[in-house]
Amino acid sequence: MMNLLSETFGMRFYYWTGLNWIILFPLYVIGLALIALLWWWLAKRMKRPWAVTVPLLFVLAIGPWVEELWIAWNFGRLCKKDAGVFINKTVEVEGFYDTTRPTTPVPRNEQAAQDLDRGGYKFYEMVYPNTEGGPSKVVRLEKVNGVWTPTVLDSATARYHYTTNIYGERAAHKITRQESRVTDKQANEVIGRYIAYGRRPPWFFIGLGEVPYSCDGPDGGPNSKYNRLIYRDVLKPIQ
């Protein structure tokens, strides 16, 4: 049934677990018992008790699934609407301002320095949170004599900025929208954008914690490229 609805209406249902029946089975048993009791009571008082009980059976069958049907329909619709990677142009750069990685004035360890090396950029500008409660600074990391050397700035100087709303924003009931973008601040133009949607389980879900379920395109499977670093597609390091 879920596959038929998915193929027909593009709905995207949450993962199913057998544990869900722990809630649904007793609900249906109790509901059927109450409807049967009502039918027995009405049969003594009216000629067509089924006129009341049949609609109640339909409500019982569909009622527990209303929330999941609503989420799945909205989720599928939003995934088709604007999820995906959108690149207006690519540029070669020496570095960029990355607002997604708060840092310290120097790489925390050797691994952090190696991560910077693998990026291939000549410099990085990153957010430097002010631990004393004042406005944040910017750390510019640039390699000098083979060592990543920091310079603390009041604001970013890089032309290109990479930003993302890490936690997403509400797009519909139990659905969030996450967007990452690369902006050319000099031209005031967004040159690359990555949009993904994530959804939460229905009320009757029981599992070993919530499993992430996201989409980043109309045809992409669950979590296919979620949290993609769009700047790697847009900002090419000058060799």
Side-chain angles (χ1 to χ4, degrees):
M1 181 63 177
M2 284 195 232
N3 289 337
L4 178 62
L5 290 172
S6 298
E7 294 172 2
T8 305
F9 300 104
M11 302 171 76
R12 299 197 177 195
F13 293 94
Y14 198 74
Y15 307 106
W16 176 265
T17 71
L19 294 175
N20 293 340
W21 286 113
I22 294 176
I23 293 178
L24 292 176
F25 183 74
L27 179 66
Y28 282 125
V29 170
I30 295 171
L32 286 172
L34 292 174
I35 291 174
L37 183 63
L38 177 63
W39 183 90
W40 175 80
W41 185 81
L42 291 174
K44 297 179 180 181
R45 292 165 175 78
M46 58 188 299
K47 293 182 179 180
R48 298 182 179 86
W50 53 265
V52 175
T53 55
V54 168
L56 290 177
L57 285 172
F58 178 78
V59 171
L60 175 63
I62 301 299
W65 292 87
V66 168
E67 183 192 44
E68 173 62 3
L69 292 170
W70 179 249
I71 299 172
W73 180 78
N74 271 318
F75 187 53
R77 175 180 61 86
L78 290 170
C79 289
K80 289 182 178 180
K81 175 189 172 187
D82 64 356
V85 175
F86 308 93
I87 299 175
N88 296 330
K89 65 180 179 181
T90 60
V91 293
E92 288 190 340
V93 301
E94 292 187 341
F96 64 99
Y97 176 44
D98 186 350
T99 68
T100 70
R101 289 189 289 179
T103 188
T104 55
V106 294
R108 293 183 177 88
N109 49 45
E110 185 64 26
Q111 181 63 48
Q114 291 175 2
D115 290 341
L116 297 177
D117 289 333
R118 279 193 290 269
Y121 301 97
K122 293 183 178 179
F123 76 85
Y124 300 83
E125 291 183 354
M126 303 179 184
V127 179
Y128 175 32
N130 191 328
T131 57
E132 297 178 357
S136 296
K137 300 285 187 177
V138 172
V139 171
R140 181 184 175 100
L141 291 170
E142 201 160 3
K143 209 146 196 192
V144 178
N145 297 325
V147 178
W148 286 101
T149 304
T151 302
V152 178
L153 309 171
D154 289 329
S155 59
T157 61
R159 173 175 177 174
Y160 298 96
H161 291 202
Y162 170 60
T163 59
T164 185
N165 55 342
I166 298 175
Y167 301 106
E169 59 185 11
R170 186 180 185 275
H173 177 61
K174 289 191 175 181
I175 299 174
T176 57
R177 180 182 188 272
Q178 183 193 58
E179 179 178 342
S180 302
R181 59 173 62 182
V182 177
T183 304
D184 180 347
K185 286 296 183 178
Q186 181 174 309
N188 194 27
E189 174 189 10
V190 177
I191 61 176
R193 192 189 309 265
Y194 167 68
I195 299 173
Y197 287 93
R199 60 152 296 174
R200 295 181 58 200
W203 69 272
F204 56 78
F205 176 79
I206 299 179
L208 302 177
E210 291 187 13
V211 181
Y213 191 158
S214 60
C215 70
D216 60 2
D219 302 316
N223 314 312
S224 54
K225 300 172 185 174
Y226 197 49
N227 290 331
R228 180 168 178 166
L229 300 176
I230 184 65
Y231 72 83
R232 292 179 178 174
D233 302 302
V234 179
L235 304 177
K236 304 298 182 180
I238 295 177
Q239 300 301 319

